[in-house]
Amino acid sequence: MSIAPTTTTDESPDSPDSSKPSAPAKPSAAATLRPLVLRLHFYAGVLVAPFLLVAALTGCLYAASFQAEKVLYADEMTVSAGDTKLPISEQVAAARKAHPQGTVTAVRPSPEDDATTRVLLSGVPGVGDAHTLAVFVDPYTAKVEGALEQYGSTGALPLRTWISEFHRNLHLGDSGRLYSELAASWLWVIAGGGLVLWFARRRTQRRVRGTSGRRRTLGLHGTVGVWASAGFLFLSATGLTWSTYAGANIDVLRTSLGQSTPSVSVAGGGEHTGHDAAAGAGSTTEHGVGLDEVLATARAEGLGDPVEIVPPADESSAYVVKQIQRSWPTKQDAVAVDPSTGEVLDVLRFADYPVLAKLTRWGIDAHTGVLFGIVNQIALLALGLCLVLLILWGYRMWWLRGRASAFGRPIPRGAWQQVPPLLLVPLMACVAVVGYFVPLLGIPLAAFIAVDVILGEIDHRRGKRTYGERAGAK
């Protein structure tokens, strides 16, 4: 496929002066950018596609893990509904009797009639530092139904935890997170470039029906890509918000704008200072007034199920009761309760969150498939499958650019030379700024440009040498 911009003549062939050579019209800015976007889309797709393919496949598994978890762990998560639920303190005592090791870091009372209560223990031998042991208790009989390792604020159990970590870091620890951040950093670039190329094509060239070969593959690739592009842009943006490097820059930016996520104060004073009791808990569960009165106080403040009770981290801290519903409508209110008097020390409402904090919360929850429940998970599964198809079609188009015996010809270099300086300089400045804030976009792009320049110079010198040898032979 030619990447040269389309040119038009100033005069029609039927004009009296048509016999005179006419200078080609100056190409528009869009025409000069198209070869550059095409080259970027092509190479980004070829080089980053393997990372995106892994992210898409593991993302599909994660989207399906929510429903699989309900089936696999139904014995621990559900019970037969009874008449009256026992006090939380009795349920926790039963959990501690069955599992005396470790420290109670949180309690999640049964949120529904047929759901168990979860008592979360940290410091249990054999359980990872970032994980807790969830002890499942029948709220009607205080019978312990089982215990499973749990991770994260969404309460992921072993199956979903394993898939989540596979999607996030391939079970390679912090270094493995580079793969997912690289994929998120480039997904929006590839999707945006594809949109530009698709709408720059003539309408007749976008058709799929009646076509075959490479043109049909291109039509399928473009059509599916356009329909799924909004989802890809969303996944890329939300994925970057909690990535290692870009996520840290986003946090700094949000803090400088006063848009950080607040947390309820666990000390006196009633200010949202950010000292959240989730950081730790004391060696005992009952402090002062106890769990039952603390929960009753939170209910009086309007905190409905599901909630999590966090015991005081030390003698100078308070109980924290916070809503943990991430599905729509979001429930994230929190209160701090004085353990000695049972009085409310601080209240934090989700309605009072800064705008960017709310958007971040909703974005992450939609990305992880909890905001809209099963509909959200089906949408993520569909996006993942679309991305897999687009990658396969992309490699097929590359193959068909050749002669069906090897992968096809690359897009010629030098496209940037066609872009006017008045457009190229601001564009390069924007790319530099974005590359600084998104390092796994900026660093690979700079490396690609450096390698491309070196290879271009080598080809140029070889061409000169070959021409000189031919001239000497004559």
Side-chain angles (χ1 to χ4, degrees), residues 114-141:
D114 62 345
T116 52
T117 292
R118 296 192 191 188
V119 180
L120 307 182
L121 307 176
S122 65
V124 178
V127 177
D129 294 338
H131 297 196
T132 57
L133 181 69
V135 182
F136 298 85
V137 182
D138 187 324
Y140 303 101
T141 65

Side-chain angles (χ1 to χ4, degrees), residues 164-187:
S164 174
E165 292 180 353
F166 188 36
H167 176 66
R168 184 171 60 251
N169 59 24
L170 302 178
H171 292 284
L172 297 176
D174 291 339
S175 59
R177 295 185 65 181
L178 297 178
Y179 114 85
S180 57
E181 184 168 355
L182 178 69
S185 298
W186 281 91
L187 179 57

Side-chain angles (χ1 to χ4, degrees), residues 114-353:
D114 62 345
T116 52
T117 292
R118 296 192 191 188
V119 180
L120 307 182
L121 307 176
S122 65
V124 178
V127 177
D129 294 338
H131 297 196
T132 57
L133 181 69
V135 182
F136 298 85
V137 182
D138 187 324
Y140 303 101
T141 65
K143 177 185 175 182
V144 175
E145 301 291 341
L148 296 168
E149 195 167 329
Q150 177 177 304
Y151 174 76
S153 58
T154 61
L157 298 177
L159 174 65
R160 184 153 60 94
T161 297
W162 192 92
I163 295 175
S164 174
E165 292 180 353
F166 188 36
H167 176 66
R168 184 171 60 251
N169 59 24
L170 302 178
H171 292 284
L172 297 176
D174 291 339
S175 59
R177 295 185 65 181
L178 297 178
Y179 114 85
S180 57
E181 184 168 355
L182 178 69
S185 298
W186 281 91
L187 179 57
W188 69 273
V189 176
I190 297 172
L195 281 175
V196 171
L197 294 173
W198 177 255
F199 287 107
R201 290 171 61 84
R202 297 187 185 94
R203 186 176 297 274
T204 56
Q205 294 178 331
R206 301 178 194 167
R207 291 182 300 184
V208 177
R209 292 182 179 179
T211 59
S212 60
R214 185 176 182 275
R215 185 173 177 184
R216 178 175 177 79
T217 304
L218 177 61
L220 290 170
H221 181 89
T223 302
V224 174
V226 167
W227 281 105
S229 59
F232 294 153
L233 295 174
F234 171 80
L235 290 178
S236 178
T238 54
L240 289 174
T241 55
W242 75 94
S243 60
T244 301
Y245 298 106
N249 290 332
I250 292 172
D251 286 342
V252 170
L253 179 62
R254 286 178 54 199
T255 301
S256 65
L257 296 174
Q259 296 289 309
S260 297
T261 300
S263 57
V264 67
S265 173
V266 299
E271 294 295 329
H272 307 313
T273 59
H275 302 292
D276 200 320
S283 58
T284 61
T285 307
E286 295 288 341
H287 296 263
V289 296
L291 293 170
D292 298 313
E293 186 171 339
V294 168
L295 181 58
T297 300
R299 300 295 194 203
E301 287 292 329
L303 272 68
D305 287 323
V307 298
E308 179 178 274
I309 309 170
V310 181
D314 50 48
E315 294 181 356
S316 61
S317 299
Y319 282 97
V320 171
V321 183
K322 51 188 177 182
Q323 292 178 309
I324 54 175
Q325 179 169 305
R326 299 287 181 80
S327 59
W328 191 266
T330 302
K331 295 181 180 179
Q332 293 285 287
D333 293 353
V335 299
V337 180
D338 190 322
S340 59
T341 65
E343 296 180 354
V344 174
L345 299 176
D346 191 22
V347 179
L348 175 63
R349 304 293 182 185
F350 183 72
D352 297 329
Y353 276 34

Side-chain angles (χ1 to χ4, degrees), residues 42 46 213-214 217 391-410:
F42 172 80
V46 168
R214 185 176 182 275
T217 304
I391 292 170
L392 297 179
W393 283 329
Y395 277 118
R396 174 172 170 77
M397 285 191 296
W398 185 22
W399 175 271
L400 293 176
R401 278 180 61 84
R403 298 177 180 176
S405 61
F407 279 110
R409 304 180 305 278

Side-chain angles (χ1 to χ4, degrees), residues 7-11 17 20-27:
T7 58
T8 57
T9 57
D10 294 328
E11 300 181 39
D17 298 329
K20 297 180 181 180
S22 57
K26 185 177 180 180

